Amino acid sequence: MPQDSRKQQGDTTRDTLIKTATRVFAELGYHGASTRAIAKAADVNQALIGYHFGGKEDLYQAVFVAIAEALEQRMTTRLEQLKVLLAEPDPAPEECLVALETFCGGLVELMLQPETEYWSQLILREQQHPGPAFDVLYERFMGRVLGITTRLVGHLRPDLQSDEVKTLVITVLGQILVWRFARTGIQRHMGWSSPDIEAIKHRVFTNIRLLLTKEPLE
Amino acid sequence: MPQDSRKQQGDTTRDTLIKTATRVFAELGYHGASTRAIAKAADVNQALIGYHFGGKEDLYQAVFVAIAEALEQRMTTRLEQLKVLLAEPDPAPEECLVALETFCGGLVELMLQPETEYWSQLILREQQHPGPAFDVLYERFMGRVLGITTRLVGHLRPDLQSDEVKTLVITVLGQILVWRFARTGIQRHMGWSSPDIEAIKHRVFTNIRLLLTKEPLE
DNA sequence: CTCGTTTATTTAATCGATTGATTAACTATG
DNA sequence: CATAGTTAATCAATCGATTAAATAAACGAG
C-alpha cells in the first residue's frame, strides 16, 4: 500500500471512520456506539471524529450518505434497464415479467449478502424514527425502487387501480425484504447456517408469476 | 381509582415501569434510554428500577417477557383453531385456506395496530442481535406461528418438499410483516396517513389463494 | 381499639465511570 | 515557515448503581 501523503491521509481517515462507524453503529446502536469505541475500532484518535465530521451526529449522517451511495451504485444499472423497458411504447408482458424477475433476483441477492447486514440494521433503526438520514435513503434508493416497480406492475396488471397496484407491489417486495429483516427468526425456523439463495430466488420468481400473470379470481 | 394498599403499590410501580419502559426503549434504543428518562416518564423514582427489577438490563428483559405474553395472548386463540383443524384426519383444502386466511387476517390487523408499534421496534432490534430476550419471543410466539402455518401450508401443497414449504411460508408471512417493518417507507410511497386495512387484507387473501391453490407452473 | 414494631416501598443524595466535545501542543508535508 | 492532520489531556454532563433515611401500610400484643 503506497504511503499516503499528508493531504491524502485525511481522506483515508475519513473513509476508515465511515466504514468502521457503519459496523459499530449497526452493532451497538447510535447511543451505544461511543465515539471512543468507534475511534478505537478504526485505530484512529478520538478527536479526529470532531475534526473531520464535526461531531458524532455528523459522522452518523455521513454513514447514511455512504450507504445510500452504495445502494444507489448497486441498483442503478438494474433500475436503468427497467426504465429503458418502460420507455418503449408497449412492452410485451412476458418481457416485463422477465425484467421484474431479474430485478427482484438482484434484490434477493442484495438482501442475502453479508455485507448488507449492517446497512439493513441501520436502515431499520432509522425507519422507525425517520430523520434526515432516512430522507437521504428514501430519495436515493427506496423511492426509486418503489416507483419503478410500481410502474412495471401497473403495466402488467392494468385491471388494478393505482392504490391496488401499490399495495400489490408492497406485498411482492415484502416477500423479498423479509429474508433480511426477519433473518434471525428465519434461520432458527429453517435450521440453516446460510440461506439457499437459489431456492429463495426460485420461490420468489414463481410467486411473481403467480401474482402478476394470473387474472384476478373474481 | 381506588387507592393502592401499600403492598399493591409495588405491583403498580412494576407494571407502570414495564409499560413506560416499552415505549422509551423503543423510541430511544437500549443505550439511549437512560434509567432516569424511563423513571421520569413513568413518574417514578429512578432507584425503583434497581429495587424492583435489579437493574436496567433486567427491566429490558421484563419488557420482552411482557411483549411475548401479550402476543401469546392475542394469537393463542387463533393458533388453537388451526391446531384443531390440523388434528382432523384429512381437512378439506378449502377449509384450510379459509383458516389460513382468517389467521393471516388477524396477523395483518396485529401488524397495523398502533399499539404494536413499540413491540415491533423492539423485536426488530433484538432480532438483529439475538440475546435471551429474543429466545423468549421466538419460543413463545414466532416459532409457534411459523410451525403451525408451515404444517397448514404443507397440507395444502403436498407437492412441495419440506424446505420448499418453509420457504413458501416465509414469503407468505413476509408480505404481511412488511407492512409493519417497512411502515415509514410505505407511508411515504402511498401517501397514506393511515393504511387501509381492508384493502391490505383483500390483497393478502388474494395472494394466499394465488400462491397456495394454483398448482405449480411446471 | 391503640400502641409499638415489623415490613415493604419510596425517596434524595451520592458513587465512580463514561460520555461527546474541546483545547493546546505536536508532527510532517509542501 | 505555513498548512493540514494528529495527538494526549481535560472539560462538564450524564450514565447505572447504590446507599441510608423517610414513609406508610400491616400486624401482634395488651
Side-chain angles (χ1 to χ4, degrees), chain B residues 6-7 9 13 36 45 47-48 51-52:
Chain B
R6 191 70 176 181
K7 284 200 170 177
Q9 193 177 357
T13 303
R36 283 175 175 80
N45 192 281
L48 288 177
Y51 177 77
H52 285 289

Side-chain angles (χ1 to χ4, degrees), chain B residues 75 103-112 141 145 173 176-177:
Chain B
M75 299 305 290
F103 182 75
C104 287
L107 218 50
V108 168
E109 284 176 3
L110 188 66
M111 293 296 112
L112 295 179
F141 179 68
V145 170
L173 294 179
I176 299 172
L177 300 182

Side-chain angles (χ1 to χ4, degrees), chain A residues 69-83 103 140-141 144:
Chain A
E69 280 174 357
L71 282 173
E72 207 174 24
Q73 189 186 354
R74 296 200 184 206
M75 299 304 291
T76 198
T77 307
R78 301 182 197 274
L79 282 171
E80 287 305 323
Q81 287 173 347
L82 295 187
K83 273 188 189 170
F103 182 75
R140 299 185 66 161
F141 179 67
R144 292 173 63 186

